[in-house]
Amino acid sequence: MPKVVDRAAQRRAIGTALLDLVSRHGLDEVSVRTVAAAAGRSAGAVQKYFRTKDEMLCFAAELAGERVERRWAEVDVTGPPHEVLRRLVLTTLPLDAARHAEATVRFAFVTRAIHHPALAATQREIDVDIRTALTDWLLATALRTHDRADCEHVADAVIALSDGLAMRLLYTPDAREELVPALDRALRALLANP
């Protein structure tokens, strides 16, 4: 009887190995061979699921985006809007080992996307998904305006604030005591003036 292989599960396992490799060593260490070794497979086995390194990177970027979306889905969205936004942003900041690894991966992919159109397209799709979810929540609960464009601008500002804080915390982890209060002030100001 032929062996039944769950193709999606195999791709996810390889993508997860790639994410772990990037978080520990950076994108410079990623090749089909190194990912295969990290995933416990041969290079040929990896190439059955991903034709190119870029295809493998795009898939792994999608996995990284899914992790952030799952964490956002677990956030308690009850309470004052600035507190909910604070919880959402804090879930993306590198404040523990798992989120530090995820932020490291995210910024590695963003940097590579500058020169790789396929990865840039994947990153834009992730950005659109996050912006849409945040805009919908702002429109439904947080802002006194019913203008979608106003909510989109606030969502963009929240995302930029989150990205900027995450980046600073990656290279200055001791700045947490300074940056979290800055987050609180910025969120209150954004919600007060859509």
Side-chain angles (χ1 to χ4, degrees):
M1 178 176 252
K3 183 179 178 182
V4 177
V5 176
D6 184 340
R7 188 166 177 78
Q10 294 297 317
R11 286 174 56 88
R12 289 184 82 77
I14 294 166
T16 299
L18 187 150
L19 292 175
D20 184 54
L21 187 63
V22 172
S23 73
R24 290 184 290 113
H25 302 290
L27 274 173
D28 291 341
E29 295 299 315
V30 171
S31 67
V32 171
R33 182 184 53 76
T34 59
V35 172
R41 292 167 172 74
S42 69
V46 169
Q47 289 175 321
K48 287 180 184 177
Y49 300 101
F50 299 100
R51 291 178 309 222
T52 65
K53 178 180 170 179
D54 280 344
E55 183 182 326
M56 191 169 49
L57 289 172
C58 288
F59 181 78
E62 290 171 10
L63 281 181
E66 286 175 14
R67 289 178 178 181
V68 172
E69 289 174 13
R70 270 196 312 272
R71 195 175 350 274
W72 269 31
E74 295 170 359
V75 171
D76 176 11
V77 291
T78 60
H82 72 276
E83 289 179 15
V84 174
L85 278 178
R86 181 182 196 274
R87 289 191 293 268
L88 288 169
V89 171
L90 287 175
T91 64
T92 67
L93 298 183
L95 299 174
D96 60 29
R99 290 180 289 170
H100 187 276
E102 287 176 8
T104 299
V105 167
R106 188 175 70 222
F107 285 109
F109 283 143
V110 167
T111 302
R112 184 171 175 89
I114 294 168
H115 300 290
H116 291 82
L119 191 53
T122 299
Q123 290 300 130
R124 282 191 298 274
E125 288 173 19
I126 293 166
D127 289 347
V128 166
D129 290 346
I130 291 170
R131 181 185 195 231
T132 300
L134 192 52
T135 297
D136 291 345
W137 178 80
L138 288 164
L139 193 58
T141 62
L143 297 179
R144 284 176 246 135
T145 179
H146 294 288
D147 185 329
R148 185 163 189 88
D150 285 344
C151 293
E152 288 172 344
H153 293 308
V154 173
D156 286 336
V158 170
I159 292 166
L161 178 63
S162 176
D163 288 347
L165 289 172
M167 189 180 330
R168 286 200 45 205
L169 285 165
L170 281 175
Y171 63 81
T172 315
D174 296 337
R176 177 182 182 163
E177 300 304 318
E178 301 159 20
L179 295 178
V180 172
L183 167 65
D184 294 333
R185 287 188 75 167
L187 291 176
R188 281 192 173 92
L190 282 171
L191 292 176
N193 301 301

